[in-house]
Amino acid sequence: MSMELVQRINPFLLVCLTLCGCTGWLPLNFGPNPGSGASEKKSSILGRFAPQEIPSDTVGIESILVRLSSLESQRISELWSAADEQVIAPELRLHLDANGLRVGKFSGHLPLLAEQWLASQSKRVDEDPMEQAGIASDVSGFTQIWRCRADQRKAVTVRNLPHDSITLFYNDQGFRGGVYTSPQFLFGLFAKPSGQRSAKLLLRPELEYGQTRRVVVAKDSAIRTEERRESIVWNSLAIDLQLQLGDCLMVGGTSEPRGLGEHFFRTRSKEGETQNVVLLLRVAELNPEDEFSVNRSAEAEKSRYTSSAIR
């Protein structure tokens, strides 16, 4: 595909390459994500993420999908060795493994290898117009920030194949499967603050497929219509964890691709190379006032205790 075609596809995105940056995993665009609410910030190449003050009932989750070349994939076992997979209960780990999925946690910071891969992907996004236009692969290489509140679901898309049909088999109370048209592989993300500098996070794999249809929805004493597709929600594979500010969750496929993991975490580049994919989710934002309020409460309690002792 020529540079001229890419420029016609997304001229505004390419013009904005020279704009400012801050700190974070990868470049961001702070524009709204259509159809998913104003609390998210969708990725682009306009700048880099910097933590912001947010409401006390909100947590900011940063996500990125990392595509690995065949050479990089040879070292993925090193990354899993550095991750804490024991945070997942043994029974759930076995169930995830049976469906080709794997989950681990990094506390506080990422291993050097992951940082190198992120830097490589950032450079590729900066230099490749097809990456910038989002057409180099069916997996986006940009960062997203999800502003989450209790009971609010965010849809973290991994792969979207609007023109394909796939055959998928999985284990969920037995061996199941079928043929699904126009599949969109995603995770439902729920997160909320939970104590000082920590958040409760729930992540569950989901699949949407088929044609959209209009349905009537009653909510908050109002009736409205929405466009929806058929879906499968794997509640039995949901990951429910307590994470500290700065902790990072890694989700990927098993070493032998199968089931959900094969369809969620394997893609093909524009050159035809089969690539493994990992999803990184980091607790990036919590209201900084929470910590100060806790300190003030502790100081007030100490002051009351001291005054009582003096009397």
Side-chain angles (χ1 to χ4, degrees), residues 20-42:
C20 63
C22 308
T23 60
W25 281 352
L26 277 183
L28 286 175
N29 170 20
F30 292 99
N33 188 1
S36 57
S39 59
E40 295 89 294
K41 294 185 176 180
K42 194 170 187 295

Side-chain angles (χ1 to χ4, degrees), residues 63-302:
S63 72
I64 185 170
L65 292 159
V66 185
R67 301 201 317 271
L68 306 178
S69 67
S70 56
L71 186 62
E72 290 171 331
S73 293
Q74 294 176 13
R75 301 186 63 189
I76 195 169
S77 60
E78 298 177 35
L79 197 59
W80 284 114
S81 296
D84 179 8
E85 299 183 67
Q86 303 303 313
V87 294
I88 306 299
E91 184 178 352
L92 178 55
R93 281 207 311 273
L94 288 173
H95 194 26
L96 289 166
D97 182 80
N99 284 281
L101 297 171
R102 196 171 180 179
V103 180
K105 187 189 81 168
F106 301 110
S107 297
H109 64 276
L110 291 174
L112 178 60
L113 180 60
E115 295 284 5
Q116 292 172 344
W117 287 348
L118 287 168
S120 174
Q121 181 157 302
S122 178
K123 182 179 179 181
R124 187 170 66 240
V125 169
D126 286 341
E127 296 178 353
D128 188 342
M130 295 184 72
E131 293 278 359
Q132 297 158 15
I135 55 176
S137 168
D138 55 43
V139 173
S140 169
F142 298 123
T143 305
Q144 289 185 275
I145 303 299
W146 308 92
R147 298 281 165 68
C148 303
R149 292 184 174 90
D151 301 323
Q152 282 189 348
R153 171 186 171 274
K154 307 298 181 184
V156 182
T157 296
V158 179
R159 300 180 66 207
N160 189 18
L161 309 172
H163 306 298
D164 294 354
S165 293
I166 58 99
T167 300
L168 169 66
F169 294 101
Y170 57 92
N171 284 281
D172 189 16
Q173 298 181 345
F175 193 62
R176 304 169 183 270
V179 177
Y180 304 95
T181 59
S182 306
Q184 181 177 359
F185 299 94
L186 63 134
F187 284 92
L189 170 65
F190 300 82
K192 62 181 180 180
S194 178
Q196 186 179 4
R197 296 176 63 83
S198 68
K200 191 78 169 176
L201 182 145
L202 187 145
L203 192 70
R204 69 185 184 202
E206 301 178 7
L207 170 67
E208 294 183 358
Y209 61 94
Q211 300 297 316
T212 58
R213 55 191 178 89
R214 190 172 296 275
V215 297
V216 178
V217 178
K219 185 178 180 180
D220 299 330
S221 302
I223 297 178
R224 64 177 186 274
T225 59
E226 291 183 357
E227 289 190 347
R228 294 183 179 178
R229 300 203 294 161
E230 296 293 332
S231 64
I232 302 175
V233 176
W234 287 282
N235 287 309
S236 63
L237 296 172
I239 303 153
D240 190 354
L241 292 175
Q242 181 99 1
L243 299 176
Q244 300 295 310
L245 181 64
D247 283 354
C248 178
L249 200 64
M250 179 171 72
V251 188
T254 50
S255 56
E256 294 184 5
R258 58 179 175 270
L260 299 184
E262 182 174 7
H263 289 282
F264 270 77
F265 294 111
R266 282 171 72 86
T267 186
R268 189 174 294 274
S269 70
K270 64 181 185 296
E271 293 85 8
E273 178 188 35
T274 299
Q275 297 179 326
N276 288 315
V277 178
V278 293
L279 169 64
L280 298 177
L281 293 150
R282 181 172 64 179
V283 180
E285 294 178 333
L286 283 169
N287 188 341
E289 293 183 356
D290 288 349
E291 180 178 358
F292 298 140
S293 63
V294 170
N295 290 339
R296 286 195 296 270
S297 297
E299 290 174 1
E301 183 65 25
K302 181 180 178 181

